[in-house]
Amino acid sequence: EIVLTQSPATLSLSPGERAALSCGASQTIRSNSLAWYQQKPGLAPRLIIYDASSRATGIPDRFSGSGSGTDFTLVISRLEPEDFAVYYCQQYDNSPPYTFGQGTKVEIK
Amino acid sequence: EVQVVESGGDLVQAGGSLRLSCTASGFTFNFYAMSWVRQAPGKGLEWVSTISGSGSGTYYADSVKGRFTISRDNAKKSVFLYMSSLRAEDAAVYYCAKDSLPAAGHFDYWGQGTRVTVSS
């Protein structure tokens, strides 16, 4: 099973700042099979990025994903008030089992 | 409009069983794998189980293998999760989620979740 480790656990930033979230995998993820989700309190997760760098439908271009192999990054270029949330990475290499990272909370400084 | 709606969450005693249901609409249901993902109180997301579009392929997390069974009824556009031998650590909000593409492995539509509480 691929273990995903996200860092940092918490990111304290101000609106307008750039956020960079990391997701490391315990083994190589083939075909860049990595997604990022945003979750706000009391709500279901929302798909932000899939295949490491493709934005999901309706996601603004301030969100970008990059990386390959075992190291992946989600960047929010300029934080908007609605972007403060918890972000999870998820791998879907080949077939289940799928795994999620433990999450990074982006909070208002 | 795509909709995914879960139901069936309840308070159950440890060792008991429960069946969750998920009804979908707005897409060609039998084309897409469907999954259950859970979230314990204050914790992160945990993938639980996936069933292929045809229902012929089923997959489980080690933590639930042998205790949970996923199934689907394509005619009724529904997915089910039968949970037995429930443990305290199974208490969570259970989300039903649709694959973004057939057999994609990432999820573009999620339900609102249904809460399972396990009492000891």
Side-chain angles (χ1 to χ4, degrees):
Chain A
E1 176 180 296
I2 299 176
V3 176
L4 299 179
T5 302
Q6 292 186 240
S7 62
T10 303
L11 204 48
S12 297
L13 295 168
S14 300
E17 290 194 293
R18 177 181 182 272
L21 290 65
S22 294
C23 177
S26 60
Q27 58 189 271
T28 295
I29 295 175
R30 295 169 293 182
S31 304
N32 291 338
S33 299
L34 188 108
W36 290 92
Y37 298 86
Q38 175 193 72
Q39 188 179 33
K40 297 180 180 179
L43 298 180
R46 176 192 181 195
L47 180 66
I48 302 292
I49 297 286
Y50 63 95
D51 294 347
S53 60
S54 298
R55 271 188 301 276
T57 302
I59 301 302
D61 61 7
R62 63 180 181 272
F63 290 89
S64 63
S66 64
S68 64
T70 60
D71 295 302
F72 299 86
T73 301
L74 173 69
V75 170
I76 310 170
S77 59
R78 290 176 312 279
L79 283 164
E80 297 288 340
E82 62 267 27
D83 299 335
F84 292 91
V86 179
Y87 292 83
Y88 296 94
C89 57
Q90 178 229 340
Q91 67 79 22
Y92 45 95
D93 185 350
N94 194 19
S95 63
Y98 304 137
T99 49
F100 288 89
Q102 82 279 17
T104 290
K105 181 179 182 181
V106 179
E107 65 176 22
I108 300 176
K109 186 174 181 181
Chain B
E1 178 192 7
V2 172
Q3 288 195 319
V4 175
V5 179
E6 305 96 337
S7 61
D10 205 348
L11 170 63
V12 62
Q13 280 196 323
S17 61
L18 197 63
R19 190 180 86 153
L20 305 183
S21 300
C22 168
T23 301
S25 61
F27 61 98
T28 306
F29 186 71
N30 61 303
F31 279 14
Y32 294 86
M34 298 292 291
S35 298
W36 290 94
V37 176
R38 68 185 180 184
Q39 187 168 37
K43 303 297 185 182
L45 302 172
E46 179 188 14
W47 171 78
V48 172
S49 183
T50 293
I51 187 166
S52 65
S54 66
S56 60
T58 58
Y59 309 87
Y60 300 94
D62 286 345
S63 58
V64 307
K65 201 172 292 183
R67 301 187 299 121
F68 289 12
T69 301
I70 192 171
S71 63
R72 67 190 293 159
D73 182 337
N74 284 344
K76 296 184 178 179
K77 298 186 179 181
S78 295
V79 181
F80 308 98
L81 186 69
Y82 179 73
M83 306 182 295
S84 63
S85 302
L86 282 162
R87 306 167 180 168
E89 55 264 35
D90 295 319
V93 173
Y94 283 73
Y95 294 102
C96 177
K98 166 191 167 290
D99 261 24
S100 305
L101 299 167
H106 47 88
F107 315 122
D108 59 351
Y109 285 93
W110 299 60
Q112 81 289 352
T114 189
R115 185 174 299 275
V116 174
T117 304
V118 181
S119 65
S120 55

